[in-house]
Amino acid sequence: MEKTGNPKYLRVVTIILLIVYVLFMLMNFLKGIWDWTFYFGNGELNSLIRIKNYMGKFHLVIYVVIYIMEIIFLLVLNRLVKKYGIGKGYHFLIILLSFLPVANCFLFYIIKRKLNKQLFTYSEMSVRRSDLKIVTTWVLMILFIIYTFLIPLLMFYVVEPELVSRADYYLHFSVLVTDCYFLITSLICLLYYLEFKQMLNKMDLTVSGIGNTPLLDN
């Protein structure tokens, strides 16, 4: 019976993520153009608001699919690392925990970086570029969260009129900032999975692996 950790499963998941991220990047680009146009108040496009709503729903569907596929990707990657003795993996409950709000901001990226490093090192390929992509999306997410929550908090708790006025001004750009954030991160993730797929194509599991390389189990 074929092992569930066989890289063919990881290849399939990676290809699906590539396809979905291409769609996501395209939707983010179109949504950005649309929001930019509406931001400057082109009233002639108000009749097309229904199309904009459908676009927003489709964008949400793609985002949910990516969220689910990222969970599957991490689970399959973790299974492969453990099954072939490449390193010590994580308990699947810890991986699921990493996708919960707040925990997702840290645990998900820590786990992904460690598993990614194990596999790239095993394949004798440089992990630097793929690791940089993971860290970059991590930093962008933290900055986006700070921008999203810090400015509204300033408006509620700061009494200085000048600061409130500035916060209100920057808040008007929140839609455009969100569009830029999703567009940039979707592009980085697409490039990451392209590199990951190249690594899988070169990987040979018949070669004796790293063995008992330590990997935190928490």
Side-chain angles (χ1 to χ4, degrees):
M1 184 176 179
E2 194 173 23
K3 295 180 179 180
T4 56
N6 193 287
K8 85 170 189 178
Y9 296 102
L10 194 55
R11 285 193 185 96
V12 171
V13 175
T14 303
I15 291 172
I16 293 174
L17 277 166
L18 282 171
I19 295 172
V20 177
Y21 267 114
V22 169
L23 292 174
F24 194 53
M25 188 173 63
L26 178 60
M27 289 301 302
N28 288 325
F29 179 72
L30 293 175
K31 187 175 182 297
I33 293 177
W34 192 283
D35 288 337
W36 183 272
T37 304
F38 269 84
Y39 180 80
F40 287 104
N42 192 334
E44 296 178 0
L45 295 179
N46 288 338
S47 60
L48 301 177
I49 193 68
R50 182 176 297 180
I51 298 178
K52 181 179 184 296
N53 292 335
Y54 281 127
M55 186 184 297
K57 292 178 181 178
F58 186 55
H59 183 274
L60 178 60
V61 169
I62 296 178
Y63 183 79
V64 172
V65 171
I66 286 178
Y67 187 82
I68 295 173
M69 291 307 303
E70 285 282 5
I71 296 176
I72 297 174
F73 171 80
L74 217 56
L75 289 172
V76 176
L77 174 58
N78 183 67
R79 181 66 172 170
L80 185 143
V81 167
K82 292 170 64 177
K83 201 75 174 180
Y84 287 90
I86 296 173
K88 186 179 180 183
Y90 294 84
H91 195 283
F92 78 99
L93 290 178
I94 295 178
I95 293 178
L96 294 180
L97 175 65
S98 70
F99 284 88
L100 295 178
V102 181
N104 177 265
C105 296
F106 302 98
L107 190 57
F108 166 74
Y109 291 95
I110 292 173
I111 293 176
K112 189 171 184 177
R113 284 190 69 196
K114 288 183 178 293
L115 293 177
N116 180 75
K117 184 177 181 179
Q118 287 287 332
L119 211 57
F120 268 85
T121 303
Y122 176 86
S123 303
E124 299 182 347
M125 291 182 62
S126 173
V127 72
R128 184 177 179 180
R129 289 187 302 175
S130 64
D131 187 67
L132 181 60
K133 291 181 180 69
I134 295 174
V135 172
T136 302
T137 55
W138 190 357
V139 172
L140 286 174
M141 184 197 64
I142 297 298
L143 292 176
F144 177 70
I145 291 175
I146 292 175
Y147 176 88
T148 302
F149 289 97
L150 181 60
I151 292 181
L153 283 176
L154 284 175
M155 295 182 67
F156 277 105
Y157 293 103
V158 176
V159 294
E160 182 66 31
E162 183 177 352
L163 290 177
V164 173
S165 178
R166 288 184 180 181
D168 183 57
Y169 173 76
Y170 287 116
L171 193 61
H172 287 153
F173 292 92
S174 61
V175 173
L176 300 179
V177 170
T178 301
D179 291 335
C180 290
Y181 165 74
F182 280 116
L183 179 59
I184 294 173
T185 53
S186 60
L187 175 60
I188 294 174
C189 289
L190 176 62
L191 294 175
Y192 166 77
Y193 285 109
L194 280 172
E195 186 176 358
F196 191 87
K197 184 177 180 296
Q198 293 174 356
M199 180 272 298
L200 288 179
N201 292 336
K202 296 179 180 179
M203 185 174 64
D204 184 6
L205 289 173
T206 62
V207 180
S208 58
I210 295 174
N212 297 321
T213 303
L215 188 65
L216 295 178
D217 197 22
N218 51 42

